[in-house]
Amino acid sequence: MPIESVSPAEAYARYDRHTMMIDIRGEEAWRREHITGSRPVSAEHLTPDAFSHANLQATDAVIFHCQRGMRTEHLAPQLAAAVFPARALVIAGGIDAWKAAGYAVEEDRRQPLPLMRQVQICAGALTLAGTIAGAFIHPVFYILPAFIGAGLIFAGTTGWCGMARLLAAMPWNKAVP
């Protein structure tokens, strides 16, 4: 079943009490910022029977979104299967396009940044610091960006990221009620 991509304006116009809005980014990102009325359902939980309890009909529509629209585009067949027989729609450009179009989102800045953004910030800062220190202090500091690069390769190939595990245990990453 094909999945239709809609603009934020079209999604806003179609969004009513008969339409579900699903955020597939995951609960931590949803808690920090989400479209009002949307529900978090991470991509891992989008199985063909994920919405069987909702008694969806062919006349119903479910609007999916992610941060920028790439994940929803990539997962389009899975999204359509998860809400069958309802019609699956995706917001082109995700929540970023929704905000750029001027539509409101609920934000809770007390919530921690998504873990992968923290990993990117930390890896980038350590790589930059090691490179600068290697250039201006002593070449031995080039070990730091090499170590970070090796860690990122390991994380990408195995799915296990030591930096993410370490950051997840930090006190600032406890969800605020």
Side-chain angles (χ1 to χ4, degrees), residues 60-176:
D60 295 327
V62 178
I63 302 172
F64 291 96
H65 74 86
C66 60
Q67 191 69 38
R68 292 182 190 86
M70 291 183 281
R71 259 180 292 187
T72 51
E73 185 179 310
H74 177 71
L75 296 172
Q78 187 178 342
L79 302 176
V83 298
F84 185 80
R87 193 165 156 212
L89 308 168
V90 297
I91 299 177
I95 194 171
D96 286 351
W98 179 272
K99 292 187 304 187
Y103 299 115
V105 295
E106 291 184 32
E107 292 182 85
D108 185 355
R109 295 289 179 187
R110 299 172 305 149
Q111 297 297 330
L113 284 174
L115 195 55
M116 289 321 310
R117 281 188 57 195
Q118 291 181 49
V119 168
Q120 292 166 342
I121 291 166
C122 190
L126 289 170
T127 301
L128 181 62
T131 302
I132 291 170
F136 294 108
I137 299 172
H138 193 278
V140 75
F141 285 104
Y142 286 128
I143 292 172
L144 184 58
F147 181 74
I148 297 299
L152 291 172
I153 291 169
F154 180 79
T157 56
T158 66
W160 187 89
C161 179
M163 187 181 295
R165 297 268 176 133
L166 179 64
L167 287 169
M170 293 294 131
W172 61 81
N173 278 324
K174 304 305 176 218
V176 177

